[in-house]
Amino acid sequence: MAEKSGGSKKLLWIMIILVLLSSIGAAAAIYMVIDQRDGGSEDAEMQQAMEREPPIFMRIEPFTVNLADDSYGSRLLYTGVTLRVGNEESKAILEEHMPQVRSRLLMLLSGKQADELTSSEGKQQLAQAIVDRLNVPLTENQPPLDLREVLFTEFIVQ
């Protein structure tokens, strides 16, 4: 009988050690899973930050402009312009001051000759001139505009 009680004590200690080892293993596994979740949420946050932002476009109604006289006489430009801006604040400022924006564009375009505008380089130079003209503040204490691109949606020279 003494052997049975000694054997059962050994078995009891072995079981206790196995339960402790199992608990330690489970705790380590839970710690690793929680750590991966935290790392995964950081990756998800970085991925969301790296996601592309949708572009913000502002359409300007098409208009017709008398171009400067050239060797062919009086010519017309019919154009539609869309601006791609970097933030909603820039879009709101431009919308609030649309009469000034249109006036600046009309003044800029009316000084151009048709042969300047028919080449692709001429259109690119015109797009840059529009950005330069609109970057001049429209009102006092205006924050700088974030103009990204000028897109010509309609462009007819006659």
mmCIF file of all heavy atoms in Angstrom, residues 113-127 152 155 157:
data_model
loop_
_atom_site.group_PDB
_atom_site.id
_atom_site.type_symbol
_atom_site.label_atom_id
_atom_site.label_comp_id
_atom_site.label_asym_id
_atom_site.label_seq_id
_atom_site.Cartn_x
_atom_site.Cartn_y
_atom_site.Cartn_z
ATOM 1 N N GLN A 113 -2.813 84.492 -78.583
ATOM 2 C CA GLN A 113 -3.104 84.346 -80.009
ATOM 3 C C GLN A 113 -3.400 82.874 -80.303
ATOM 4 O O GLN A 113 -2.926 81.976 -79.595
ATOM 5 C CB GLN A 113 -1.931 84.822 -80.850
ATOM 6 C CG GLN A 113 -1.735 86.316 -80.784
ATOM 7 C CD GLN A 113 -0.678 86.788 -81.762
ATOM 8 O OE1 GLN A 113 0.073 85.998 -82.321
ATOM 9 N NE2 GLN A 113 -0.634 88.094 -81.980
ATOM 10 N N ALA A 114 -4.160 82.628 -81.344
ATOM 11 C CA ALA A 114 -4.605 81.274 -81.671
ATOM 12 C C ALA A 114 -3.427 80.332 -81.907
ATOM 13 O O ALA A 114 -3.454 79.184 -81.452
ATOM 14 C CB ALA A 114 -5.517 81.307 -82.888
ATOM 15 N N ASP A 115 -2.394 80.797 -82.579
ATOM 16 C CA ASP A 115 -1.271 79.902 -82.880
ATOM 17 C C ASP A 115 -0.506 79.487 -81.619
ATOM 18 O O ASP A 115 0.148 78.454 -81.599
ATOM 19 C CB ASP A 115 -0.326 80.528 -83.910
ATOM 20 C CG ASP A 115 0.268 81.852 -83.455
ATOM 21 O OD1 ASP A 115 -0.222 82.425 -82.470
ATOM 22 O OD2 ASP A 115 1.225 82.315 -84.119
ATOM 23 N N GLU A 116 -0.616 80.278 -80.546
ATOM 24 C CA GLU A 116 0.010 79.909 -79.273
ATOM 25 C C GLU A 116 -0.727 78.752 -78.613
ATOM 26 O O GLU A 116 -0.139 77.990 -77.856
ATOM 27 C CB GLU A 116 -0.017 81.086 -78.288
ATOM 28 C CG GLU A 116 0.799 82.285 -78.664
ATOM 29 C CD GLU A 116 0.615 83.405 -77.640
ATOM 30 O OE1 GLU A 116 0.878 83.168 -76.447
ATOM 31 O OE2 GLU A 116 0.188 84.495 -78.054
ATOM 32 N N LEU A 117 -2.023 78.637 -78.876
ATOM 33 C CA LEU A 117 -2.866 77.684 -78.147
ATOM 34 C C LEU A 117 -3.108 76.374 -78.882
ATOM 35 O O LEU A 117 -3.622 75.434 -78.290
ATOM 36 C CB LEU A 117 -4.222 78.340 -77.848
ATOM 37 C CG LEU A 117 -4.173 79.640 -77.057
ATOM 38 C CD1 LEU A 117 -5.560 80.220 -76.917
ATOM 39 C CD2 LEU A 117 -3.532 79.412 -75.704
ATOM 40 N N THR A 118 -2.748 76.285 -80.141
ATOM 41 C CA THR A 118 -3.081 75.086 -80.906
ATOM 42 C C THR A 118 -2.102 73.940 -80.689
ATOM 43 O O THR A 118 -2.454 72.790 -80.905
ATOM 44 C CB THR A 118 -3.181 75.412 -82.411
ATOM 45 O OG1 THR A 118 -1.981 76.062 -82.830
ATOM 46 C CG2 THR A 118 -4.379 76.309 -82.689
ATOM 47 N N SER A 119 -0.895 74.196 -80.257
ATOM 48 C CA SER A 119 0.070 73.116 -80.005
ATOM 49 C C SER A 119 -0.102 72.578 -78.584
ATOM 50 O O SER A 119 -0.642 73.247 -77.704
ATOM 51 C CB SER A 119 1.500 73.631 -80.190
ATOM 52 O OG SER A 119 1.829 74.548 -79.172
ATOM 53 N N SER A 120 0.373 71.354 -78.383
ATOM 54 C CA SER A 120 0.263 70.769 -77.037
ATOM 55 C C SER A 120 1.149 71.524 -76.044
ATOM 56 O O SER A 120 0.786 71.672 -74.879
ATOM 57 C CB SER A 120 0.616 69.285 -77.054
ATOM 58 O OG SER A 120 1.951 69.097 -77.462
ATOM 59 N N GLU A 121 2.311 72.015 -76.500
ATOM 60 C CA GLU A 121 3.173 72.812 -75.612
ATOM 61 C C GLU A 121 2.476 74.109 -75.218
ATOM 62 O O GLU A 121 2.586 74.557 -74.079
ATOM 63 C CB GLU A 121 4.516 73.135 -76.283
ATOM 64 C CG GLU A 121 5.393 71.950 -76.575
ATOM 65 C CD GLU A 121 5.080 71.309 -77.925
ATOM 66 O OE1 GLU A 121 4.487 71.973 -78.799
ATOM 67 O OE2 GLU A 121 5.418 70.132 -78.094
ATOM 68 N N GLY A 122 1.768 74.694 -76.173
ATOM 69 C CA GLY A 122 1.033 75.920 -75.887
ATOM 70 C C GLY A 122 -0.054 75.698 -74.845
ATOM 71 O O GLY A 122 -0.259 76.532 -73.961
ATOM 72 N N LYS A 123 -0.723 74.555 -74.937
ATOM 73 C CA LYS A 123 -1.763 74.235 -73.944
ATOM 74 C C LYS A 123 -1.141 73.990 -72.568
ATOM 75 O O LYS A 123 -1.703 74.394 -71.547
ATOM 76 C CB LYS A 123 -2.573 73.027 -74.395
ATOM 77 C CG LYS A 123 -3.473 73.325 -75.586
ATOM 78 C CD LYS A 123 -4.250 72.087 -75.984
ATOM 79 C CE LYS A 123 -5.118 72.339 -77.179
ATOM 80 N NZ LYS A 123 -4.426 72.192 -78.460
ATOM 81 N N GLN A 124 0.011 73.334 -72.540
ATOM 82 C CA GLN A 124 0.695 73.107 -71.265
ATOM 83 C C GLN A 124 1.150 74.430 -70.650
ATOM 84 O O GLN A 124 1.029 74.630 -69.434
ATOM 85 C CB GLN A 124 1.889 72.174 -71.458
ATOM 86 C CG GLN A 124 1.495 70.758 -71.769
ATOM 87 C CD GLN A 124 2.679 69.887 -72.150
ATOM 88 O OE1 GLN A 124 3.804 70.356 -72.315
ATOM 89 N NE2 GLN A 124 2.425 68.596 -72.300
ATOM 90 N N GLN A 125 1.656 75.332 -71.483
ATOM 91 C CA GLN A 125 2.063 76.646 -70.979
ATOM 92 C C GLN A 125 0.854 77.427 -70.480
ATOM 93 O O GLN A 125 0.928 78.117 -69.461
ATOM 94 C CB GLN A 125 2.786 77.429 -72.066
ATOM 95 C CG GLN A 125 4.152 76.887 -72.385
ATOM 96 C CD GLN A 125 4.794 77.575 -73.590
ATOM 97 O OE1 GLN A 125 4.157 78.362 -74.284
ATOM 98 N NE2 GLN A 125 6.068 77.268 -73.835
ATOM 99 N N LEU A 126 -0.264 77.289 -71.196
ATOM 100 C CA LEU A 126 -1.490 77.952 -70.767
ATOM 101 C C LEU A 126 -1.960 77.401 -69.422
ATOM 102 O O LEU A 126 -2.362 78.161 -68.535
ATOM 103 C CB LEU A 126 -2.591 77.796 -71.815
ATOM 104 C CG LEU A 126 -3.944 78.404 -71.464
ATOM 105 C CD1 LEU A 126 -3.831 79.910 -71.259
ATOM 106 C CD2 LEU A 126 -4.965 78.078 -72.543
ATOM 107 N N ALA A 127 -1.898 76.089 -69.250
ATOM 108 C CA ALA A 127 -2.294 75.479 -67.976
ATOM 109 C C ALA A 127 -1.430 76.016 -66.835
ATOM 110 O O ALA A 127 -1.940 76.350 -65.761
ATOM 111 C CB ALA A 127 -2.192 73.958 -68.056
ATOM 112 N N PHE A 152 -8.304 70.750 -69.437
ATOM 113 C CA PHE A 152 -9.161 71.348 -70.442
ATOM 114 C C PHE A 152 -10.171 70.288 -70.874
ATOM 115 O O PHE A 152 -9.798 69.292 -71.491
ATOM 116 C CB PHE A 152 -8.337 71.850 -71.638
ATOM 117 C CG PHE A 152 -7.389 72.947 -71.284
ATOM 118 C CD1 PHE A 152 -6.025 72.719 -71.227
ATOM 119 C CD2 PHE A 152 -7.847 74.216 -70.987
ATOM 120 C CE1 PHE A 152 -5.142 73.720 -70.893
ATOM 121 C CE2 PHE A 152 -6.982 75.244 -70.660
ATOM 122 C CZ PHE A 152 -5.638 74.983 -70.607
ATOM 123 N N PHE A 155 -12.058 72.515 -75.817
ATOM 124 C CA PHE A 155 -11.059 73.459 -76.328
ATOM 125 C C PHE A 155 -11.217 73.571 -77.840
ATOM 126 O O PHE A 155 -10.811 72.699 -78.595
ATOM 127 C CB PHE A 155 -9.649 72.963 -75.980
ATOM 128 C CG PHE A 155 -8.608 74.039 -75.938
ATOM 129 C CD1 PHE A 155 -8.348 74.717 -74.771
ATOM 130 C CD2 PHE A 155 -7.901 74.368 -77.083
ATOM 131 C CE1 PHE A 155 -7.377 75.704 -74.727
ATOM 132 C CE2 PHE A 155 -6.931 75.355 -77.047
ATOM 133 C CZ PHE A 155 -6.669 76.021 -75.864
ATOM 134 N N VAL A 157 -10.660 76.332 -81.054
ATOM 135 C CA VAL A 157 -10.160 77.615 -81.554
ATOM 136 C C VAL A 157 -10.724 77.797 -82.945
ATOM 137 O O VAL A 157 -10.605 76.930 -83.802
ATOM 138 C CB VAL A 157 -8.614 77.635 -81.615
ATOM 139 C CG1 VAL A 157 -8.123 78.948 -82.200
ATOM 140 C CG2 VAL A 157 -8.030 77.423 -80.236
#
